[in-house]
Amino acid sequence: NVDQHASAKGDGNPRERLRARVLALFRLNYAYPYFHQLIVDEIANMHVPAARRLLQNLSDTGLKSYGDIIDDGAQDGTLRRVDNAFLFIAIIGMTHFFTTGANVVKTTIGKREYNDALAEQYGDFICDLLLNGLHAKP
């Protein structure tokens, strides 16, 4: 469970909670590359009320978790307010493509080896990108 893993790793600081949550989702995707594709193909495209409720529950849980982190960060001045839905979607995309787009990733990274160490570097990169953006560091 992403929520349990993320809360176990975060120290209460909103930035650390966001980092822990993103890394937990990335590691889930890395271990099970087609997790989100399964949700899209098998649940999101079903026209069954139970499937719709499950998808809504998954989305609501993710949105609430990110919203709580962003709200806490905005309150203590460590994070800025953003559209929680866009954040949710962007994080899924960044965590998902590294494994499902492995052939593109392997071509893009050149001679670097595609392995667990590279995955950890990528996880750290997306967390840094989310938390610090692309602005020049002082």
Side-chain angles (χ1 to χ4, degrees):
N1 181 316
V2 173
D3 287 318
Q4 289 173 341
H5 182 72
S7 64
K9 293 284 190 174
D11 69 0
N13 169 318
R15 291 175 60 88
E16 285 300 314
R17 286 174 30 222
L18 181 60
R19 179 178 173 73
R21 184 167 183 80
V22 170
L23 285 175
L25 183 61
F26 175 66
R27 289 175 180 145
L28 173 72
N29 277 300
Y30 187 65
Y32 304 102
Y34 297 100
F35 171 75
H36 280 104
Q37 198 61 47
L38 177 67
I39 291 172
V40 170
D41 290 346
E42 298 298 328
I43 297 172
N45 291 323
M46 292 178 77
H47 300 288
V48 177
R52 290 284 174 211
R53 282 191 303 275
L54 176 59
L55 182 61
Q56 189 66 56
N57 186 16
L58 290 170
S59 295
D60 289 349
T61 300
L63 285 170
K64 181 176 178 351
S65 295
Y66 288 121
D68 290 347
I69 292 168
I70 295 299
D71 287 346
D72 290 348
Q75 277 188 317
D76 75 8
T78 59
L79 297 172
R80 65 183 174 93
R81 294 202 185 276
V82 295
D83 184 309
N84 293 337
F86 285 166
L87 179 64
F88 179 73
I89 294 164
I91 290 171
I92 289 172
M94 286 189 295
T95 59
H96 178 70
F97 187 76
F98 186 83
T99 53
T100 59
N103 288 333
V104 173
V105 172
K106 288 174 186 175
T107 299
T108 304
I109 64 171
K111 295 182 180 184
R112 285 186 274 178
E113 191 173 338
Y114 182 88
N115 57 22
D116 293 350
L118 185 71
E120 287 299 313
Q121 288 178 328
Y122 179 74
D124 288 340
F125 171 81
I126 60 176
C127 288
D128 181 60
L129 182 64
L130 279 167
L131 292 167
N132 299 311
L134 293 175
H135 60 84
K137 294 179 183 179

